[in-house]
Every structure is written in C-alpha cells, then in structure tokens.
Amino acid sequence: MTEDAKVTPWEVTGILGDTDYSKIADRFGAKIIDRAMKERIASYTGDLHPFLRYDVFFAHRDLDLILDAYSRGEGFYLYTGRGPSGKMHLGHLLPFMFTRWLQEKFNVDLIIQITDDEKFLFRDLNSGDLNRYTSDNILDILSLGFNPERTHIMVDTLNSGLLYNNAIKVARHINVSLAKSVFGFDDSDNVGKYFFTSIQAVPSFILSEILGRPIRCLIPYAIDQDPHFKVARDVMPKIGYEKPSSIISKFIPSLKGSGKMSSSDTTTGIYLDDDRKTVRKKLMKYAFSGGRDTADEQRKYGANPDIDFSFNVFRLLENDPSVVSRIYDEYRSGQLLSGEMKAMTADRISNLLEGLSINREKVKNNISDYMFSTDRFR
Ligand code: TRP
C-alpha cells in the first residue's frame, strides 16, 4: 500500500491494489471470502454473483453465522445505506446491486438507511441540498428493482424518534477516546460527529427490537464503513443484541485505474445520468487501458486485461463466466483492440443505465410503498 493510502468512512486516498485490500481487511480484523465460502454461498443461491466471483465483495465478518441461521430456517435481514451527499455514480451503485441480488436469493427484509443527518454534520450541505439528494438518491437506488414488500427505506431525519431512542443505548458505551482512535476525530470536530456512529448502528439491531426476538443482520458495505460496524459489534452484546455480520466490498476504481471513483472529479466517474455519448467519451478518453500504444503493437503483443478498467468493469456486468474468459483471451492475445474493449464496456454500462432510468420513472409514484415504518413488520 502506498504510504499515503488512507481509508476512513469520510476519507479515502491513495492507490489501492489487491494486496492493499487484503492488508486493510487484515488490519480491520475481517476475514477474506475464500473459495470454500464462495461454494457455501453458491449452495444456497445457485449461482455466484460476478461481484463474488471476481472478489469485489472480498471480505466478511461472521457471514457463516448468517448462513447457519438461514439453513436452520431462522432467517435474517439485510441492512445497508447511503449518505446523500451528491449525485450517485457507478461506484455508489455497486453495493446496492449486490444487496438486491442477496435480497432476491434469500427473500429477506432489507433496511436502507439514508443518512442525511450524517451529511449535515460532516459536509457543508444545507437542508435544501440534502432534501434534493435524498429523494434523488432514493429513486436511483429503487430503480434497481428491490422487492417493495420487503424493502424499508429509513431516512434518518424522518425517523429521528426511533433512531434517537435506540442510538442512546449505543452511545452510552462509546467514549470519546474510542471515537477519536477509530474515526480519527480530534478536538476540533463538532460533537455531532462523535454521536453519529450510534445512529448508524441502530438499523443493525432494530428488527430484533421491533419483533421482540433476536434476528440476525447482514450488512453489505464498502470497506470504508467498516469502522462503524466494528464499533457496533463491540457494543451489541453489552446491550443485549447479536453482533451484526458483514459482507465487505472494494471500491470500484476511478477510470484512471487506481484509487476510488470519486464524486468530486467528474472526469473519473460515470454518473447514472450520463448518456450513451458521454459514457463512451469518458471511457475512450480517460479509462486506464492495459493495451499497447499502437494497434500494431497490440495485435502483436496483446493487452494486459488484469489492469484494464474496461475489462474489469465488463466482467462485473457479464453473468456468464465463459463469455468473460473468451473476451479475456481475445484481449490478451491481441485479437481485440483497446478501443473495441472500451466500446463494448461503454455499451454495457449504458444498457444498464438506460434500464435504470426507465425503472426510475416507474417507481417515482410508488416511493411511499418502500418507506420504513414499524407497522410493516407487525
Ligand atoms: N455512512 C454511509 C455513507 O456515507 C451510509 C450508511 C449508513 C451505510 N448505514 C450504512 C452504508 C450501512 C453501508 C451500510 O454512505
């Protein structure tokens, strides 16, 4: 890992390669999802999602306990979330695509927390911006097609009573020095930040609280969120709940091939509202290529698909592994040129985005069906 690589819930910098990710998982105390775990998952789901096959979701905490509970017929629920700080890009979508797949395969409830309070405390956003991003992001998320009966969107400021009454139980067990060391806060950070992690912990036990019986929770998230759930796992047994389990992803890289796709640099990210022309232009112009400098050299020596942004995204959007290995071979051998690889991936991305924007229009009128309410569980 480069010396300056840094991963906290509010800051991710530096260059992240595969070995860096396993080092971070190790440092955080999460386990790598190995072949045996993948096989166990596939034994319930039938197939493996490409994000598991290609190790985008690469680490976990106590995933075995979730699968044990499931196989005993006890069930579990899913919890994930989004901080509404701006427009969503492809990288933000990844955990939700995967969560949708999990919900479909296991047919379980899902709580999606929208942390508008977090973005108020941590970013310079006013309530107008927050409201706009909140409704916009909710539509983007729902366009992926979650099960309306089992999906529960919890906007923090709209569910403040329930969240506050449960967050205080957590907050009592987190002292300032722990918050400082886990999140890197210092004396200049506002007091709201110190409290916030308690709010993010609540959905990980709220269903047990509502149902009045223990039910396990599985949280899919990108690795920067891990500090929150490490803290939550420490606190849960002290307040009478099971530790939540997690399944943890890498970031989708920026087009330039390293680091994380970021919202602050529009040239390195693909936004959900980018049209076909824009997506193609961004890939052609900015996507890091494992190809050679000239078509002649490429034909002669072939490309290195492993470091190629377009190939790496292509395989995440292709369900059939035999298609992926055929494209790999063709690219590697020089049969396929970089421009062709980029065009193919641009098309895949645009097909996905166009499908989502059609769904977006459809869910627009049904958002209230998805909103969190305790009555929906009773
Ligand atoms: N803090 C997350 C963000 O800034 C949002 C979030 C809340 C979340 N709860 C979560 C993400 C659970 C993953 C899992 O985006």
Side-chain angles (χ1 to χ4, degrees):
M1 184 166 10
T2 50
E3 275 314 312
D4 57 342
K6 192 172 168 193
V7 179
T8 79
W10 301 284
E11 191 185 9
V12 177
T13 56
I15 293 166
L16 294 162
D18 283 346
T19 50
D20 302 331
Y21 278 113
S22 30
K23 270 191 231 157
I24 297 172
D26 222 44
R27 199 171 76 217
F28 287 178
K31 289 210 183 88
I32 297 296
I33 298 178
D34 58 12
R35 182 183 292 264
M37 180 54 98
K38 288 187 194 177
E39 278 167 12
R40 181 163 188 214
I41 297 170
S43 76
Y44 301 111
T45 57
D47 54 356
L48 264 192
H49 193 282
F51 296 1
L52 278 171
R53 195 177 303 128
Y54 304 117
D55 300 313
V56 172
F57 275 82
F58 76 111
H60 74 96
R61 292 175 189 275
D62 285 347
L63 181 54
D64 7 20
L65 297 184
I66 294 290
L67 299 174
D68 293 349
Y70 181 76
S71 57
R72 286 196 301 265
E74 284 165 22
F76 67 93
Y77 72 103
L78 292 162
Y79 157 41
T80 191
R82 153 95 190 145
S85 55
K87 288 209 291 187
M88 285 177 75
H89 61 54
L90 205 56
H92 297 134
L93 208 59
L94 245 59
F96 291 100
M97 290 169 78
F98 185 67
T99 304
R100 198 203 73 89
W101 180 80
L102 288 174
Q103 181 185 47
E104 182 187 312
K105 294 294 174 179
F106 291 98
N107 190 27
V108 289
D109 282 304
L110 160 65
I111 296 178
I112 300 175
Q113 181 179 40
I114 307 291
T115 54
D116 52 349
D117 55 343
E118 174 189 12
K119 297 305 159 184
F120 181 80
L121 290 166
F122 285 86
R123 301 278 181 97
D124 198 13
L125 294 170
N126 59 44
S127 59
D129 295 336
L130 286 167
N131 287 339
R132 193 159 41 87
Y133 292 140
T134 294
S135 31
D136 230 55
N137 290 180
I138 289 176
L139 272 178
D140 286 339
I141 293 167
L142 290 179
S143 71
L144 286 168
F146 291 94
N147 176 348
E149 256 109 69
R150 310 210 75 170
T151 301
H152 314 273
I153 297 193
M154 180 187 278
V155 177
D156 282 356
T157 54
L158 300 179
N159 290 275
S160 48
L162 181 77
L163 284 166
Y164 184 77
N165 289 330
N166 285 285
I168 55 175
K169 302 177 194 167
V170 182
R172 189 158 71 168
H173 295 277
I174 300 173
N175 62 31
V176 170
S177 77
L178 181 82
K180 281 184 175 172
S181 78
V182 175
F183 299 109
F185 299 150
D186 62 33
D187 284 355
S188 71
D189 283 296
N190 71 58
V191 294
K193 292 186 182 180
Y194 284 79
F195 183 71
F196 174 72
T197 194
S198 312
I199 296 278
Q200 184 155 325
V202 173
S204 73
F205 61 90
I206 199 65
L207 209 49
S208 299
E209 172 69 23
I210 293 169
L211 299 175
R213 63 175 166 85
I215 175 160
R216 286 197 176 273
C217 176
L218 173 63
I219 318 175
Y221 55 82
I223 189 143
D224 62 325
Q225 297 298 308
D226 197 62
H228 285 297
F229 299 115
K230 211 172 125 88
V231 171
R233 282 170 56 86
D234 287 343
V235 174
M236 286 311 107
K238 299 180 186 163
I239 61 173
Y241 298 107
E242 310 269 16
K243 293 182 179 193
S245 300
S246 45
I247 184 157
I248 306 169
S249 80
K250 301 173 185 169
F251 301 113
I252 194 169
S254 80
L255 288 170
K256 289 172 182 152
S258 64
K260 149 188 193 230
M261 196 176 271
S262 142
S263 334
S264 40
D265 186 351
T266 47
T267 63
T268 65
I270 292 163
Y271 288 87
L272 304 192
D273 57 0
D274 283 348
D275 62 18
R276 208 166 267 275
K277 232 173 95 195
T278 310
V279 172
R280 187 179 265 254
K281 211 172 83 198
K282 282 186 179 173
L283 256 72
M284 290 300 173
K285 207 160 161 192
Y286 302 112
F288 187 81
S289 167
R292 305 282 168 173
D293 290 342
T294 67
D296 277 352
E297 282 179 38
Q298 170 85 14
R299 295 257 183 246
K300 213 159 143 194
Y301 306 112
N304 179 359
D306 297 308
I307 59 167
D308 189 278
F309 175 88
S310 304
F311 174 76
N312 280 303
V313 170
F314 176 86
R315 65 179 188 171
L316 300 183
L317 301 179
E318 172 56 59
N319 281 321
D320 184 348
S322 71
V323 172
V324 173
S325 50
R326 179 170 55 78
I327 298 297
Y328 185 94
D329 292 342
E330 289 180 9
Y331 198 28
R332 168 104 269 175
S333 70
Q335 234 176 301
L336 197 65
L337 298 178
S338 293
E340 295 166 334
M341 184 72 243
K342 287 182 172 192
M344 227 161 54
T345 301
D347 275 344
R348 288 291 172 112
I349 294 172
S350 296
N351 294 347
L352 169 72
L353 299 187
E354 285 177 9
L356 295 184
S357 79
I358 293 168
N359 292 345
R360 210 174 186 278
E361 291 309 307
K362 288 192 205 144
V363 289
K364 237 179 191 154
N365 302 316
N366 315 339
I367 294 200
S368 56
D369 295 353
Y370 295 88
M371 291 318 240
F372 178 92
S373 142
T374 51
D375 299 336
R376 295 183 68 200
F377 300 100
R378 293 207 167 105

